[in-house]
Amino acid sequence: MGETKTRAKNNRTIFLTDEERVRLSKSILSSDFIFNSLLKEKSQVCASDILDKTIHGDTISLLRYLPDEFADLIIIDPPYNLTKDFAGVTFNARSAQAYDEYLSSWFPAVCKKLKPSGSLYMCGDWKCTSALQRAIEAELTILNRITWQREKGRGSAQNWKNSMEDIWFAVKDSKNYFFNAEAVKQKRRVLAPYRENGVPKDWQAEKGGKFRLTGASNFWDDISIPFWSMSENTEHPTQKSEKLYAKLILASSKAGDVVFDPFLGSGTASVVAKKLGRHFCGIEQSAEYCLLAQKRLEMAESDKSIQGYADGVFWERNSRL
């Protein structure tokens, strides 16, 4: 299945050619290989077996065979409690109780993969966020809830437009975890620049305006959802932006740490980890999304840029592309 769509002139969405499908499939770690080769003489695979790998398979089936406490940071973007098609695999909305049961079928096992000093972030929308909170509180200590502005989607005639999502931040040990606030500062426009003795106070002129460097809060209004003119965009229906994950990775991991995503999708967590000098591991049940992740990882060999992040800081939306 090659690329057949006619694209607009500025459409930079990532697609796969037939040649790429064949070539990239060789670099994906299959669940069959794990079960038939790596597990022949041991109950769990080694961390070195899965480091910097995309694993094609079912997360719930594979988790028990992955090594415990191998990840410094876990980022999870699970299916929300919505009916959604993921490359031919449909996740169906269910009752609140059934969704709680779904989370409990894999989340405790994911937590076992986190190092004692590690951190975990889990994404959700307004409808499932209370279920995520319950699942996380049963295993970890929640430190915060990030809310980010989701500027995409049509309005609703009978309800408020959904323009926000949550990310829960949790740790195993609230007295022993890594957090680098300096790495996630943001450049914000100064609307009323103040001078003291003729000298700018806490701001400086930059290309595009006057900006102040500020600390990151738990409300983010600078995130752009990937769309067709962005080079990171794929056809994954719920793709998270590289800028969003860059904040999580820079704040809660060091260079050389391991970032694990058990619902990898089209690869954003792994790609950003690679761009920022971290190791990665991701599990994804869709072969198509695994291939897209591998293509993006290949592209990251020559392009380490992250839209909206430059000069060591995060820039306000539309102030620097």
Side-chain angles (χ1 to χ4, degrees):
M1 181 170 63
E3 182 181 339
T4 60
K5 294 188 176 183
T6 301
R7 293 203 263 177
K9 181 179 179 180
N10 295 322
N11 189 332
R12 303 171 72 189
T13 299
I14 300 168
F15 291 103
L16 296 158
T17 66
D18 290 337
E19 181 276 329
E20 287 171 334
R21 292 176 190 280
V22 174
R23 176 173 56 80
L24 294 171
S25 65
K26 298 174 183 177
S27 59
I28 295 169
L29 192 62
S30 70
S31 55
D32 286 343
F33 178 78
I34 291 176
F35 291 134
N36 297 329
S37 299
L38 296 180
L39 293 173
K40 275 187 175 180
E41 299 179 358
K42 51 189 177 182
S43 59
Q44 285 189 326
V45 300
C46 299
S48 59
D49 295 326
I50 60 174
L51 204 62
D52 300 328
K53 296 291 186 181
T54 299
I55 303 172
H56 176 216
D58 175 64
T59 293
I60 297 175
S61 300
L62 286 168
L63 280 172
R64 72 183 69 179
Y65 302 109
L66 301 190
D68 292 339
E69 299 183 353
F70 79 92
D72 298 279
L73 172 62
I74 296 177
I75 300 175
I76 312 175
D77 185 19
Y80 299 174
N81 196 7
L82 302 167
T83 297
K84 186 77 68 173
D85 177 74
F86 296 97
V89 178
T90 301
F91 184 90
N92 291 306
R94 55 204 68 187
S95 68
Q97 179 180 345
Y99 191 74
D100 282 341
E101 292 170 354
Y102 164 72
L103 294 175
S104 66
S105 71
W106 55 264
F107 185 72
V110 167
C111 293
K112 291 180 180 178
K113 311 309 166 187
L114 189 63
K115 290 181 180 178
S117 59
S119 298
L120 179 145
Y121 291 91
M122 185 143 73
C123 305
D125 70 350
W126 70 270
K127 191 173 183 180
C128 71
T129 196
S130 58
L132 302 185
Q133 181 180 10
R134 289 191 294 272
I136 298 170
E137 285 180 332
E139 304 292 330
L140 305 171
T141 299
I142 292 177
L143 297 185
N144 215 323
R145 184 185 72 179
I146 298 161
T147 296
W148 60 279
Q149 188 178 21
R150 187 183 185 280
E151 277 297 310
K152 191 176 181 180
R154 299 183 179 90
S156 172
Q158 296 179 312
N159 202 341
W160 303 103
K161 176 182 175 181
N162 183 19
S163 294
M164 51 76 69
E165 290 192 15
D166 289 335
I167 305 177
W168 292 93
F169 170 36
V171 298
K172 274 193 171 180
D173 184 347
S174 61
K175 295 183 179 179
N176 179 30
Y177 66 95
F178 176 79
F179 190 82
N180 186 355
E182 289 296 315
V184 288
K185 287 193 171 181
Q186 183 183 17
K187 281 285 184 76
R188 284 190 172 277
R189 286 186 179 88
V190 179
L191 300 180
Y194 176 71
R195 294 178 182 269
E196 191 173 80
N197 298 322
V199 178
K201 185 174 176 59
D202 298 327
W203 62 270
Q204 60 185 16
E206 302 272 358
K207 183 180 179 180
K210 300 177 177 65
F211 293 87
R212 175 179 290 115
L213 191 62
T214 64
S217 73
N218 62 355
F219 175 70
W220 300 352
D221 59 358
D222 62 317
I223 303 300
S224 295
I225 299 294
F227 57 94
W228 58 270
S229 66
M230 294 171 65
S231 60
E232 69 190 75
N233 189 54
T234 73
E235 291 196 315
H236 191 284
T238 62
Q239 181 181 347
K240 297 298 186 291
S241 74
E242 293 185 7
K243 183 180 184 182
L244 183 77
Y245 278 14
K247 293 191 177 194
L248 308 180
I249 290 171
L250 286 170
S252 293
S253 70
K254 308 182 190 76
D257 280 355
V258 177
V259 179
F260 175 48
D261 185 344
F263 295 90
L264 185 62
S266 61
T268 299
S270 293
V271 170
V272 177
K274 181 173 183 173
K275 288 184 175 185
L276 296 176
R278 277 69 169 167
H279 293 290
F280 58 86
C281 174
I283 304 174
E284 172 53 44
Q285 68 175 346
S286 164
E288 180 76 0
Y289 296 151
C290 285
L291 290 168
L292 284 170
Q294 290 305 109
K295 180 167 180 175
R296 293 177 66 193
L297 285 166
E298 192 174 76
M299 292 166 63
E301 292 282 352
S302 57
D303 183 5
K304 305 290 185 186
S305 65
I306 296 172
Q307 186 165 348
Y309 175 72
D311 304 325
V313 295
F314 292 92
W315 291 77
E316 200 169 62
R317 187 193 289 132
N318 299 327
S319 62
R320 176 169 293 197
L321 300 178

